[in-house]
Amino acid sequence: MVRMMTQEQCPHRNNVQSTEKPQVYKVGIYGWRKRCLYFFVLLLMILIVVNLALTIWILKVMNFTIDGMGHLRITERGLKLEGDSEFLQPLYAKEIQSRPGSPLFLQSSKNVSVNILNEKKQLVSQLVAGSHGVHARGKMLEVKSSAGKLLFSADDHEVVVGAEKLRVMGAEGAVFSNSVETPHVRAEPFKELRLESPTRSLYMEAPKGVKIEADAGDFQVTCRSDLRLESKDGEISLDASKIKLLRLPEGKASPSGTRQTVFEVCVCPNGKLFLSQAGTGSTCQISSNLCL
């Protein structure tokens, strides 16, 4: 049988509970952990403020705007640079042009190179402007006027000068290692025209003839060896009011013994010329020993 005891019957139990203090549990961070947390929060706030200040300063210095930054502006036609610009890495662009009315300058401490590549990334044309000069490489080079007229072109086969006048300003003239083909050779006004070959022969050939004119001066041909005028199908005409053959050998005097001032020109079988005093008949046979 279980007996139930009331609270009044157990006075010692009430005394025990009344003497115990209620327990309190603390929730949170206290001590050195709390101080470290406040320090990190303060440091983070300082970094955020410094970062924000540096960002604003960079935006102001670099002149960042909605249209671009610094001298760079973004327009509908592309990028626009104002002032001097320097590129440290390769620049890829479809078109580079200056402002209307302003020149375009390309400046480099070493050289400026323009390379043209094909689809296989192989070099086909190149233009290099450096301290040693301007070098061009390609299949063909053309120079045209503003009207589109060809002034100069060069390729592996020929060089064409399309200008109306080719002027060589060198004191030694123009030197050609091979043949020269031209329809007209003319000197400047009041200047002499000289065709000279110091160590070899000089040949002038034309399918329909060679015409040499000196309207206001003399025409002089000088050579150290033989001067040969040859016409295979036609004739050689000397058309002048006076023709002088200087230093030709003279033949014997005529049998009459009179001093004559009239001479005839004798031609030897080998082409040699000499003078013989004229007579009633030809006197060339008398002086035929001059043909030897």
Side-chain angles (χ1 to χ4, degrees), residues 19-290:
T19 56
E20 293 181 356
K21 296 181 179 180
Q23 296 181 359
V24 179
Y25 297 94
K26 298 181 180 180
V27 179
I29 301 175
Y30 299 94
W32 63 272
R33 295 183 179 88
K34 183 176 182 181
R35 290 191 293 270
C36 289
L37 179 62
Y38 286 162
F39 174 75
F40 285 123
V41 171
L42 180 61
L43 181 61
L44 181 61
M45 293 179 62
I46 294 174
L47 292 177
I48 293 175
V49 173
V50 172
N51 191 13
L52 182 61
L54 290 176
T55 303
I56 296 175
W57 179 76
I58 292 175
L59 291 176
K60 184 177 180 181
V61 171
M62 299 299 294
N63 193 15
F64 276 93
T65 59
I66 300 177
D67 298 332
M69 56 171 285
H71 298 295
L72 179 64
R73 294 290 181 267
I74 300 175
T75 62
E76 296 179 356
R77 300 180 59 183
L79 297 179
K80 181 180 179 181
L81 291 174
E82 298 178 355
D84 299 337
S85 300
E86 182 178 356
F87 299 93
L88 302 179
Q89 297 294 332
L91 173 65
Y92 298 92
K94 182 179 180 181
E95 182 181 357
I96 300 176
Q97 63 180 2
S98 63
R99 293 185 302 175
S102 299
L104 176 64
F105 293 97
L106 298 178
Q107 184 176 355
S108 174
S109 59
K110 291 186 178 180
N111 57 45
V112 177
S113 302
V114 180
N115 299 328
I116 308 299
L117 307 178
N118 56 10
E119 298 177 353
K120 298 180 180 180
K121 304 299 181 180
Q122 296 177 351
L123 182 64
V124 294
S125 298
Q126 184 182 40
L127 178 63
V128 179
S131 58
H132 298 289
V134 179
H135 302 274
R137 175 186 175 186
K139 295 182 179 179
M140 185 176 61
L141 174 64
E142 286 188 355
V143 179
K144 294 184 179 181
S145 63
S146 57
K149 181 181 178 181
L150 180 63
L151 300 179
F152 179 84
S153 68
D155 56 14
D156 295 338
H157 302 287
E158 64 179 1
V159 176
V160 179
V161 180
E164 297 180 357
K165 182 185 296 184
L166 174 62
R167 179 177 298 179
V168 180
M169 303 298 295
E172 299 295 331
V175 179
F176 301 94
S177 59
N178 294 314
S179 61
V180 179
E181 182 178 353
T182 176
H184 192 190
V185 178
R186 181 179 60 185
E188 291 185 350
F190 308 104
K191 296 294 182 64
E192 296 181 355
L193 175 63
R194 300 182 61 182
L195 301 178
E196 183 178 354
S197 179
T199 58
R200 293 294 185 270
S201 301
L202 177 62
Y203 294 94
M204 290 187 294
E205 297 180 357
K208 293 185 178 180
V210 177
K211 185 178 181 181
I212 301 175
E213 294 182 357
D215 296 334
D218 298 333
F219 172 69
Q220 182 178 359
V221 178
T222 304
C223 65
R224 184 171 296 276
S225 296
D226 298 334
L227 175 62
R228 183 177 181 180
L229 301 177
E230 181 180 356
S231 178
K232 296 181 179 179
D233 298 331
E235 62 181 9
I236 298 175
S237 299
L238 300 177
D239 187 3
S241 59
K242 183 184 295 184
I243 298 176
K244 294 183 179 181
L245 300 177
L246 304 178
R247 293 189 296 178
L248 287 179
E250 296 182 3
K252 296 180 180 180
S254 61
S256 60
T258 58
R259 295 178 57 87
Q260 296 185 11
T261 59
V262 180
F263 293 86
E264 62 176 330
V265 180
C266 301
V267 182
C268 300
N270 58 3
K272 185 177 180 181
L273 301 178
F274 66 92
L275 297 178
S276 178
Q277 289 187 357
T280 56
S282 177
T283 59
C284 292
Q285 297 179 355
I286 302 176
S287 305
S288 60
N289 58 344
L290 295 176

